[in-house]
Amino acid sequence: QVQLVEHGGGLVQTGDSLRLSCAASGRSFSGADMAWFRQAPGKERAFVASIRWSGSSIVYANSVKGRFAISRDNAKNTMYLQMNSLKPEDTAVYYCAAAAYYYSDMTTTRSYNYWGRGTQVTVSS
């Protein structure tokens, strides 16, 4: 089992930055591929960014490419999402996720076995 807890959400203005963190506990974090997803009101949970266990492969959704940066520190069992140039359309609950096994497609929720409870990010215009 892996327990995931997100931190760092809040209310910001358009153009501001936020850094989310996801603290993991339980089974080995360093061996798990991980990702951030987000869910806006009335919408399905959507992929934001993913990172392999080694940090060697990173994928971003087109909507955040160039503005967001995912990273991880396996020594601290923590994953991060640096969000810059925030827009109102980034408003959502942000979730971190961890995979129990290797999956080639890291952009689908079906590839992840463990989820945090989420942290709210609200961007005002």
Side-chain angles (χ1 to χ4, degrees), residues 5-121:
V5 180
E6 302 94 339
H7 298 281
L11 172 63
V12 296
Q13 295 184 335
T14 298
D16 284 351
S17 297
L18 272 179
R19 188 172 85 151
L20 305 183
S21 63
C22 173
S25 61
R27 60 167 277 182
S28 175
F29 167 86
S30 61
D33 297 336
M34 300 191 69
W36 290 97
F37 285 76
R38 65 187 181 186
Q39 189 165 18
K43 295 187 177 181
E44 294 187 352
R45 195 166 297 188
F47 172 76
V48 175
S50 61
I51 185 168
R52 292 288 184 189
W53 67 270
S54 63
S56 61
S57 178
I58 290 175
V59 179
Y60 294 102
N62 287 335
S63 58
V64 306
K65 201 172 293 184
R67 299 188 299 122
F68 290 12
I70 189 173
S71 62
R72 64 191 295 165
D73 185 337
N74 289 341
K76 295 182 178 180
N77 288 347
T78 303
M79 178 179 65
Y80 304 96
L81 185 68
Q82 178 66 44
M83 305 186 295
N84 300 324
S85 302
L86 283 161
K87 305 174 182 180
E89 50 265 44
D90 295 319
T91 295
V93 177
Y94 283 71
Y95 298 90
C96 70
Y101 308 100
Y102 174 87
Y103 295 99
S104 58
D105 184 358
M106 294 184 70
T107 67
T108 172
T109 58
R110 296 187 297 274
S111 294
Y112 299 92
N113 308 91
Y114 307 107
W115 293 86
R117 291 190 172 185
T119 185
Q120 176 71 46
V121 172

